[in-house]
Amino acid sequence: MILSSKQIRAARGLVNLSQRELAEKAGLSLNALNNIEREVGNPRADTLQNIRDALEGQGVEFLEGHGVRLKGEVLDIEKVEGPDIVAVLTHFYGDFLDKLTGPDGEVLYMGIDNSRFEHQDMDRLRMYKRFEKEAIKRGIGERLLFLEGDLNFLSSRNNYRWVPKELFGEIPMAIYGDNVSIILWGPPVRLVIIRNAAIAETFRRQFDAIWSLGKAVPDDIHEYHFIKDDEVQ
């Protein structure tokens, strides 16, 4: 999307930046930015990209049709309904990979109760293993809060912590990037995805607070109980 002078002026106003401040952040002269905002001359693509990067770094999101908004103002809600858990989980895991496009991304799981599933549920297990393989390849991390004593570990990575029942939520959810995904068992099974940076950050802080109170799962216990790849072939 080509950045317009109208968007630059509007975005600068949203985050209360002067022309001089934006020029410094974008590595431009004040005169160059002034000319771009007045639509004088034809700025180079890399110049516009530098301006875009500087404004996005201040929390601005650019929209089609000369629109701008603050990232924290986004509140999109997506609902997915499926005939069974496998159909819904296809979207659940796929959204992680779609939204966490670079390394150092992380998925935080709360309220996951794998004891409700049979380990013989091969379709569900294969789906998770495919996701896990791709997540490891991309450098996407995971942390999971499990009910104390639950031994139904799917991940080969021991990023689990046990928490007592009073801290364990009954509704499974995942926090990743600016997104929160919630599974409602139904029937029918539903997935609700909330896309909002402030909401995601609130849940992330809640997760971290509970994580700090959790008990690390010993490596030997995890190694003995987690589902191996060759068990789901």
Side-chain angles (χ1 to χ4, degrees), residues 24-225:
E24 291 176 354
K25 291 180 182 298
L28 305 175
S29 69
L30 177 59
N31 186 58
L33 179 60
N34 182 269
N35 286 338
I36 291 170
E37 290 196 1
R38 291 187 298 114
E39 300 183 2
V40 175
N42 296 306
R44 299 185 325 193
D46 61 340
T47 299
L48 292 176
Q49 186 61 52
N50 288 341
I51 296 172
R52 184 189 188 104
D53 291 343
L55 289 167
E56 287 180 339
Q58 298 299 303
V60 172
E61 183 176 7
F62 293 98
L63 310 174
E64 297 291 343
H66 305 294
V68 297
R69 65 184 176 191
L70 293 176
K71 291 180 181 178
E73 294 178 344
V74 178
L75 178 57
D76 294 329
I77 299 177
E78 179 181 351
K79 299 179 182 178
V80 178
E81 185 175 304
D84 54 44
I85 186 61
V86 173
V88 171
L89 285 179
T90 298
H91 198 97
F92 187 63
Y93 292 128
D95 202 58
F96 302 162
L97 297 176
D98 182 54
K99 296 299 181 292
L100 299 176
T101 56
D104 302 323
E106 185 179 43
V107 184
L108 309 177
Y109 299 90
M110 301 173 67
I112 304 298
D113 182 6
N114 283 335
S115 65
R116 69 186 302 134
F117 301 105
E118 296 291 335
H119 278 185
Q120 289 75 23
D121 184 357
M122 287 296 109
D123 287 341
R124 185 182 66 90
L125 294 175
R126 289 191 192 99
M127 182 188 307
Y128 175 78
K129 288 299 183 181
R130 287 195 296 270
F131 163 73
E132 181 186 36
K133 183 177 180 180
E134 184 63 25
I136 292 173
K137 179 181 176 181
R138 297 190 190 185
I140 296 173
E142 291 182 305
R143 283 190 284 154
L144 304 95
L145 293 172
F146 255 34
L147 181 62
E148 193 169 21
D150 189 345
L151 299 174
N152 297 282
F153 309 122
L154 300 189
S155 177
S156 63
R157 297 176 287 180
N158 186 11
N159 295 319
Y160 295 88
R161 283 199 181 177
W162 280 324
V163 296
K165 188 173 183 179
E166 57 268 24
L167 294 178
F168 184 79
E170 297 296 327
I171 299 177
M173 67 173 62
I175 305 109
Y176 52 104
D178 293 338
N179 313 280
V180 178
S181 285
I182 302 169
I183 294 179
L184 304 174
W185 295 118
V189 181
R190 293 184 177 92
L191 172 66
V192 178
I193 304 175
I194 303 171
R195 307 195 190 282
N196 179 272
I199 292 175
E201 182 60 24
T202 297
F203 277 107
R204 186 173 286 107
R205 290 179 181 178
Q206 179 185 358
F207 178 97
D208 285 335
I210 299 174
W211 179 266
S212 69
L213 300 174
K215 178 183 177 182
V217 174
D219 287 337
D220 59 338
I221 292 178
H222 171 264
E223 177 66 23
Y224 182 80
H225 288 280

